[in-house]
Amino acid sequence: RMNIMFEGYSKAIAIEGQSALSLARTMILPAAQKTQRDVAESVAAAKALGLVVERQSERLRELSTRIESLVGAIDELARVFEHAESHEGTAQAHAQLYRDQVVPAMRRLREHADVLETLVDDAYWPLPKYREVLFLQ
């Protein structure tokens, strides 16, 4: 019975990990990059006109840094997930591997996505934002 529970846990985390990777790669990252492109074009156009854009440039740097962090978190989750999927140990050891490596990597990915949610243009963000879930019906 215990092995069945360990296997069930591992499968549940595997599904969540695959879902997190898919959402980050196909929805969150492209949305963030579109916003980054728009901000970069806006800053470049303002600079071309001789306008002062230091704060806008700082926003662009922050956005770029956050996107790089997201890409790093995606790569990390993919790496530990692949390692966990190929693990050939007991059901308990497999479950512990998911708990100790995959879940923390998913948490870090989520942290970066949560920050980007506050920076990305609403028109590009493909998922419901927290404020929409909490305050809109």
Side-chain angles (χ1 to χ4, degrees), residues 2 15 77 99 105:
M2 187 172 20
I15 291 168
L77 179 55
R99 180 197 66 198

Side-chain angles (χ1 to χ4, degrees), residues 6-67:
F6 284 136
E7 288 176 13
Y9 174 80
S10 296
K11 287 185 190 299
I13 298 301
I15 291 168
E16 289 181 26
Q18 283 288 46
S19 297
L21 277 173
S22 178
L23 286 171
R25 286 177 174 155
T26 65
M27 298 176 103
I28 296 169
L29 181 60
Q33 290 171 324
K34 287 176 185 173
T35 296
Q36 180 184 34
R37 179 199 62 215
D38 288 355
V39 174
E41 288 173 359
S42 174
V43 168
K47 280 183 182 179
L49 293 173
L51 302 174
V52 177
V53 292
E54 273 308 305
R55 290 185 179 154
Q56 293 174 63
S57 295
E58 181 57 38
R59 177 175 183 237
L60 179 59
R61 279 189 289 278
E62 178 187 0
L63 186 59
S64 296
T65 300
R66 295 296 184 173
I67 291 170

Side-chain angles (χ1 to χ4, degrees), residues 59 62 113-121 125 129 131:
R59 177 175 183 237
E62 178 187 0
D114 287 349
V115 171
L116 283 170
E117 177 183 333
T118 66
L119 300 174
V120 170
D121 187 339
W125 194 257
K129 291 193 172 190
R131 71 172 186 274

Side-chain angles (χ1 to χ4, degrees), residues 35-135:
T35 296
Q36 180 184 34
R37 179 199 62 215
D38 288 355
V39 174
E41 288 173 359
S42 174
V43 168
K47 280 183 182 179
L49 293 173
L51 302 174
V52 177
V53 292
E54 273 308 305
R55 290 185 179 154
Q56 293 174 63
S57 295
E58 181 57 38
R59 177 175 183 237
L60 179 59
R61 279 189 289 278
E62 178 187 0
L63 186 59
S64 296
T65 300
R66 295 296 184 173
I67 291 170
E68 273 299 304
S69 296
L70 178 72
V71 171
I74 289 169
D75 292 345
E76 177 193 7
L77 179 55
R79 182 182 51 76
V80 297
F81 183 76
E82 186 175 313
H83 174 69
E85 284 290 293
S86 64
H87 186 262
E88 293 287 333
T90 65
Q92 181 177 359
H94 200 209
Q96 287 173 330
L97 190 61
Y98 275 104
R99 180 197 66 198
D100 296 340
Q101 293 183 15
V102 176
V103 170
M106 287 170 39
R107 189 175 298 119
R108 284 187 289 278
L109 177 65
R110 169 77 184 269
E111 289 168 1
H112 295 299
D114 287 349
V115 171
L116 283 170
E117 177 183 333
T118 66
L119 300 174
V120 170
D121 187 339
D122 285 350
Y124 293 135
W125 194 257
L127 304 166
K129 291 193 172 190
Y130 284 133
R131 71 172 186 274
E132 295 168 349
V133 171
L134 293 175
F135 302 113

